[in-house]
Amino acid sequence: MADITSLCVYCGSSRRGAQSHHDAARQLGETLAANGIRLVYGGGSVGLMGIVADTVLNNGGEVVGVIPKFLEDLEVGHTDCTELHVTGNMHDRKLKMATLSDAFAILPGGLGTLDETFEILTWKQLELHDKPVVLVNVEGFWDPLTALVDAQIDANYVRAKHRSLYEVAADVADVLPTIRAMPPARFSLESKWL
Ligand code: AMP
């Protein structure tokens, strides 16, 4: 059973998505605060990212933001994070977010969210870490992604065993139970990489 103290959330930097996605971001923030689990995220005040972070903070939880300098300079950084790490570039940001986190949850988002998701999955495929990764399938948002991976498995570009690199949670309420049902991480990025 994976018992976590921090969760990295990848999600959209836009608020133009469905109300149900905003609600999911809020519900995940409430869940983290209620369970004393630290949020690790991209450090922004915009989009679903800002909603998750604001909700955790407003409910007395801890938020660790990791933002590259150029995005902080564009004034989209969240100023109220419990802890804010400013990195030199996007690559350092993603590595820092990954090392600070016990597990990963992916809410709806855009290309940046996909980049982060596939990076953490490919690092897991390469056995650089074995932390739980959960797609939060709000109203089936990630069905096209899992269908693509299934097609890649059928075409022999992905091994069938690698379908278990991630789990799919039907909704936000299912995120912590799904993570807790997964085996705990046996090794970390730090020991393999840093
Ligand atoms: P998006 O899903 O595109 O709204 O972006 C969500 C998060 O991904 C934000 O924190 C962005 O800063 C980040 N992001 C956007 N593009 C990239 C990229 N090419 N590589 C890594 N992260 C990105």
Side-chain angles (χ1 to χ4, degrees), residues 105-184:
I106 298 112
L107 286 173
L111 296 177
T113 303
L114 277 185
D115 173 84
E116 293 166 331
T117 302
F118 279 107
E119 185 157 77
I120 210 64
L121 288 176
T122 50
W123 287 353
K124 192 170 178 180
Q125 182 175 251
L126 293 168
E127 299 189 356
L128 294 170
H129 76 92
D130 64 347
K131 299 177 183 181
V133 179
V134 176
L135 299 172
V136 191
N137 202 21
V138 185
E139 294 183 329
F141 185 83
W142 293 118
D143 287 348
L145 185 149
T146 55
L148 176 62
V149 175
D150 286 345
Q152 291 174 303
I153 291 170
D154 288 345
N156 295 322
Y157 288 110
V158 177
R159 289 179 188 276
K161 69 172 184 178
H162 286 145
R163 195 184 272 116
S164 63
L165 291 172
Y166 57 81
E167 293 290 333
V168 179
D171 51 31
V172 172
D174 197 26
V175 170
L176 290 186
T178 299
I179 290 173
R180 287 175 175 149
M182 295 169 84

Side-chain angles (χ1 to χ4, degrees), residues 39-154:
L39 169 69
V40 178
Y41 86 119
S45 58
V46 293
L48 300 187
M49 301 168 71
I51 295 176
V52 182
D54 284 342
T55 308
V56 173
L57 291 168
N58 291 339
N59 286 276
E62 283 185 28
V63 172
V64 179
V66 186
I67 194 163
K69 181 94 180 78
F70 82 94
L71 282 180
E72 198 195 23
D73 291 348
L74 288 173
E75 295 182 333
V76 292
H78 200 299
T79 48
D80 297 326
C81 291
T82 319
E83 222 177 88
L84 185 68
H85 298 265
V86 181
T87 63
N89 57 52
M90 297 295 263
H91 291 294
D92 288 346
R93 175 205 224 179
K94 289 188 286 181
L95 181 58
K96 187 80 183 168
M97 288 166 75
T99 55
L100 289 172
S101 307
D102 293 333
F104 305 85
I106 298 112
L107 286 173
L111 296 177
T113 303
L114 277 185
D115 173 84
E116 293 166 331
T117 302
F118 279 107
E119 185 157 77
I120 210 64
L121 288 176
T122 50
W123 287 353
K124 192 170 178 180
Q125 182 175 251
L126 293 168
E127 299 189 356
L128 294 170
H129 76 92
D130 64 347
K131 299 177 183 181
V133 179
V134 176
L135 299 172
V136 191
N137 202 21
V138 185
E139 294 183 329
F141 185 83
W142 293 118
D143 287 348
L145 185 149
T146 55
L148 176 62
V149 175
D150 286 345
Q152 291 174 303
I153 291 170
D154 288 345

Side-chain angles (χ1 to χ4, degrees), residues 20-41:
S20 59
H21 299 176
H22 294 205
D23 295 342
R26 211 165 288 115
Q27 195 188 342
L28 186 55
E30 288 166 358
T31 302
L32 294 183
N35 285 274
I37 295 170
R38 203 176 319 117
L39 169 69
V40 178
Y41 86 119

